[in-house]
Structures are given as C-alpha cells and as structure tokens.
Amino acid sequence: MVLAQPAKGYRAGLDAALLAAACDALPGERVVEAGCGVGAVFLAAATRRPGVSFLGLERDPAALTLAQRNIDANGLQKRVTASLGDVAVTRLETPFDAALCNPPFFDDPRALRGPEPAKRGAHIADDGLEAWTAFLLQAVRDGGTITLIHRADRLADLLASLCAKAGSFQVRAVHPFDDAPASRILVRAVRGGRAPLRLLAPLILHERGGAKHAPLAESILRGEADLPWL
C-alpha cells in the first residue's frame, strides 16, 4: 500500500494499522471512517477487504487532498472515496453497515504541552468524545457495527457514551508488554445490540528481549492476520 503523509504534523502509525485489522466487513457492505486523515485506516482496510466500499470523512482540507491522492495512487477509486466532513455537524443521508474511528485522544487542550498546529486536530477533540460517538451512532444502521481504538483509560467514557443506542460490546486491550498495563483498547459495539459485554484476549505488542514486535503483532502489522471479533 502506498501512503503519502505530510512532512510535518500528525503521521499515522500503529493505531491505524490495528484499527484496519479490526475491520471485518463483508463483500458488498459499506463502511464509513470518521476523521480519516490521509486515509491510512480505510486504505489498509480496503486492501484487506476486497469487495467492501469505504467512505472517509475528514474536516482538514489538506489531509483530505492527501487522502484523495492516496486513493488514486492505490487504484481504489471504484470502491473508496473521501469527502469533507466534520463529526460535529455532518449527518449522513443513508446509514452504513459499519463505522471505524480513531478519535482524538484528548478533549482538553491543557492536557497537552501545546501540540504543533499541524497535529492539534489529530490530538484534540474540540467538541469532546461525545460528538464522535454521537456521529458514529447515527452513521450506522440497526445491527451495524462501530469499531474504535482509543486510550485504555477512556474505556468507561466510551462505553457510557455508546450504551444509550448500542450494546453487544466487545473489548480487546492492547498491551506494550505482557507485564505492562494496557495502553490502548479496541472497542466493538453493535447499534441496538443486547448481548453481554465480552472481554477478549489481549494483544501483546512486544516481547522483552525479543524481536521488535511479538509474532502475532508482527503478522497483524504485515497484513497477514486480522484482529477478529466474536
């Protein structure tokens, strides 16, 4: 996969790769990504999921231009598009089968030491996490899925903001090492779902003294394995 990114500012990394690996849409289904940036997630997911259509929404015109260029560079114009959109104001006319999202990790600018202007939008949720979850809930049909990656310490906030209209939660913790606390969580919710919450086996990224990544993490990052849901 070819991915052009800005020389300065926010650059996609591990979180984008994990979110793409967690997409399990089936051929013929439609997936929307909120805050797609330059397209790292939906392009990787589209590569993994032939026959699935993707729409990326991005409010930053510069990032959107790069996303559209990346779609063309990867030859995915027939089933992948990117459009200008802001989760705080955009409403979709037709609900999607699934939604993906890597929301900004912080709501309060005081929580960070002055991020570079080019990175601010990726780190700070101007309208709060609730604006992102509200958009995702209206973006998918009943029975549709919402998949997010976020900071592990925001798990309670994510569940609380989604539970009014979604359920059947599944949570997978992502740990840097097997003896270290989780740094990220992947959350799956189903709009209108009623099944009990499930805590899935954690993903361990590194082995102390071993290779750069643990074997499963390496396979996922290479596109050779998925992050499945039950």
Side-chain angles (χ1 to χ4, degrees):
M1 185 184 83
V2 177
L3 187 72
Q5 301 194 74
K8 294 183 179 180
Y10 179 79
R11 298 175 68 85
L14 178 65
D15 293 345
L18 296 181
L19 184 57
C23 176
D24 59 355
L26 301 174
E29 292 189 329
R30 300 164 60 245
V31 180
V32 61
E33 183 191 355
C36 68
V38 301
V41 173
F42 69 64
L43 288 172
T47 301
R48 287 171 170 269
R49 296 285 164 181
V52 178
S53 298
F54 290 83
L55 168 65
L57 295 177
E58 175 56 49
R59 71 176 186 176
D60 177 13
L64 179 62
T65 296
L66 277 178
Q68 293 166 335
R69 185 190 305 173
N70 285 328
I71 292 170
D72 294 341
N74 287 277
L76 292 170
Q77 305 94 322
K78 291 184 177 180
R79 58 188 181 91
V80 180
T81 57
S83 298
L84 194 65
D86 187 331
V87 298
V89 296
T90 301
R91 292 297 176 263
L92 302 175
E93 294 183 3
T94 304
F96 283 67
D97 299 295
L100 303 173
C101 191
N102 179 10
F105 282 171
F106 301 94
D107 297 346
D108 186 352
R110 294 172 297 180
L112 296 177
R113 294 184 177 180
E116 296 179 18
K119 295 183 179 181
R120 187 187 187 285
H123 289 290
I124 304 295
D126 292 328
D127 298 288
L129 182 61
E130 294 77 10
W132 291 80
T133 53
F135 172 84
L136 297 170
L137 287 168
Q138 65 84 32
V140 298
R141 60 172 173 79
D142 285 338
T145 61
I146 296 168
T147 307
L148 307 97
I149 188 167
H150 211 282
R151 288 166 30 209
D153 61 353
R154 296 301 301 274
L155 175 59
D157 297 328
L158 276 173
L159 298 181
S161 61
L162 290 168
C163 68
K165 294 184 179 179
S168 303
F169 293 105
Q170 297 181 49
V171 178
R172 187 185 303 278
V174 180
H175 298 251
F177 298 96
D178 61 4
D179 58 354
S183 56
R184 298 286 186 269
I185 40 99
L186 284 152
V187 176
R188 159 64 61 89
V190 177
R191 182 181 166 98
R194 296 182 179 275
L197 182 148
R198 292 177 171 180
L199 296 178
L200 307 184
L203 174 65
I204 309 301
L205 297 177
H206 310 286
E207 295 176 346
R208 297 192 185 278
K212 182 177 180 181
H213 294 105
L216 177 56
E218 182 70 18
S219 295
I220 291 168
L221 295 177
R222 289 182 177 275
E224 299 167 354
D226 295 329
L227 274 169
W229 304 98
L230 300 179

